[in-house]
Amino acid sequence: MERITIAIDGHSSCGKSTLAKALAKTLGYVYVDSGAMYRAVTLYFIQNEVDIKDAEAVKLALLDIDITFKNIAGKNTTFLNNTNVEDKIRSMEVSEFVSPVATISIVRTKVVKEQRDLGKEKGIVMDGRDIGTVVFKDAELKIFLTASPDIRTQRRYDELIAKGQKVTMKEVKDNLLRRDHIDSTRADSPLKKAADAIEIDNSNLTEANQLEKALALVKAKTLQL
Ligand code: DC
């Protein structure tokens, strides 16, 4: 079967990464979490007290940032300058700051270039906000995943609690809605559904149902090629 590029976009905590990982595993494709790259840049800015309003400081910092992924015990793991930052980039502190960082055009230029390099060989599933509209405009399959804000809040809350973080449902919901707003209204590459994306609302779908739907779409696309 011909290997294709699969773009999965959607709002925060809509289940993109769960579906993307399952698809990549089933198809034997590479999975790339594009949000993790913005989160790693954000963590670097926090750790090094980079003032995001200072364009020169941001430019210099970006030269010092190297983001890689490794498979550790079967888990896709993010490294920032050779340090495992997978847990740190998922903290509320990073979540609070990541959307403003992701509005900065020179940050996006660097990250998008790296994302395109990772996708050169096809056989990739990448999830994010602008994968179908900017990063891989020519992706053979684009999925736009949606779920209600309450369901997304509950999922994110459960995830953070399971990791031992102390958060309230209200904090999680406020953060999600604030990020949705910033991500959808920014000037550079706002979150939006690509004209040729197929929308799946997973509010009432199990992970297995979603995977089944997505695999049927992959099959239909690859048969057309
Ligand atoms: O998918 P996530 O929640 O881990 O993404 C974190 C943030 O990164 C999100 O609030 C917006 C930004 N992002 C982006 O601007 N473009 C992407 N392709 C992926 C994420």
Side-chain angles (χ1 to χ4, degrees):
M1 206 156 56
E2 185 134 5
R3 289 164 79 79
I4 62 170
T5 299
I6 304 174
I8 304 187
D9 289 302
H11 290 97
S12 302
S13 297
C14 66
K16 300 180 296 291
S17 65
T18 306
L19 175 61
K21 278 181 209 160
L23 258 183
K25 193 169 175 200
T26 311
L27 297 168
Y29 279 21
V30 171
Y31 162 64
V32 177
D33 173 356
S34 71
M37 301 172 81
Y38 291 98
R39 287 174 178 272
V41 170
T42 304
L43 179 66
Y44 180 98
F45 285 4
I46 293 171
Q47 288 176 336
N48 295 279
E49 296 179 9
V50 176
D51 176 1
I52 63 168
K53 291 192 195 79
D54 181 343
E56 201 51 37
V58 169
K59 204 168 138 190
L60 272 178
L62 289 175
L63 293 174
D64 190 41
I65 295 178
D66 179 43
I67 303 162
T68 46
F69 295 105
K70 283 182 203 156
N71 189 312
I72 308 269
K75 192 170 176 272
N76 186 59
T77 307
T78 314
F79 283 73
L80 169 63
N81 295 339
N82 288 320
T83 302
N84 181 340
V85 291
E86 187 55 36
D87 286 340
K88 282 203 175 121
I89 61 168
R90 311 285 165 196
S91 67
M92 273 298 267
E93 191 190 7
V94 170
S95 298
E96 283 293 345
F97 196 39
V98 62
S99 286
V101 169
T103 63
I104 305 171
S105 285
I106 52 166
V107 169
R108 302 201 71 83
T109 304
K110 174 189 168 86
V111 171
V112 168
K113 184 186 174 303
E114 290 177 14
Q115 289 164 350
R116 288 188 178 141
D117 285 347
L118 291 168
K120 268 191 196 137
E121 311 283 318
K122 293 206 171 268
I124 187 168
V125 188
M126 191 177 289
D127 72 336
R129 306 291 186 291
D130 62 340
I131 312 306
T133 51
V134 175
V135 182
F136 298 130
K137 271 200 201 114
D138 298 332
E140 288 84 358
L141 176 60
K142 300 179 185 177
I143 295 175
F144 192 82
L145 214 53
T146 61
S148 74
D150 283 339
I151 286 186
R152 292 190 289 120
T153 302
Q154 184 71 52
R155 286 179 187 156
R156 182 91 185 114
Y157 177 81
D158 293 344
E159 228 173 76
L160 289 168
I161 294 294
K163 282 187 188 152
Q165 294 198 29
K166 289 196 173 50
V167 286
T168 65
M169 202 74 114
K170 182 170 180 333
E171 280 167 351
V172 174
K173 188 166 187 180
D174 288 351
N175 175 261
L176 273 189
L177 296 181
R178 205 163 41 243
R179 285 205 284 146
D180 284 357
H181 179 74
I182 300 175
D183 296 346
S184 312
T185 56
R186 68 178 174 229
D188 190 343
S189 319
L191 164 65
K192 63 171 191 270
K193 182 180 157 192
D196 51 351
I198 294 155
E199 186 165 329
I200 299 177
D201 182 334
N202 68 11
S203 300
N204 298 305
L205 293 179
T206 63
E207 287 174 14
N209 289 155
Q210 290 173 68
L211 179 60
E212 201 181 313
K213 271 184 189 287
L215 284 171
L217 294 172
V218 173
K219 197 167 168 195
K221 285 287 168 189
T222 45
L223 285 178
Q224 284 167 17
L225 295 173

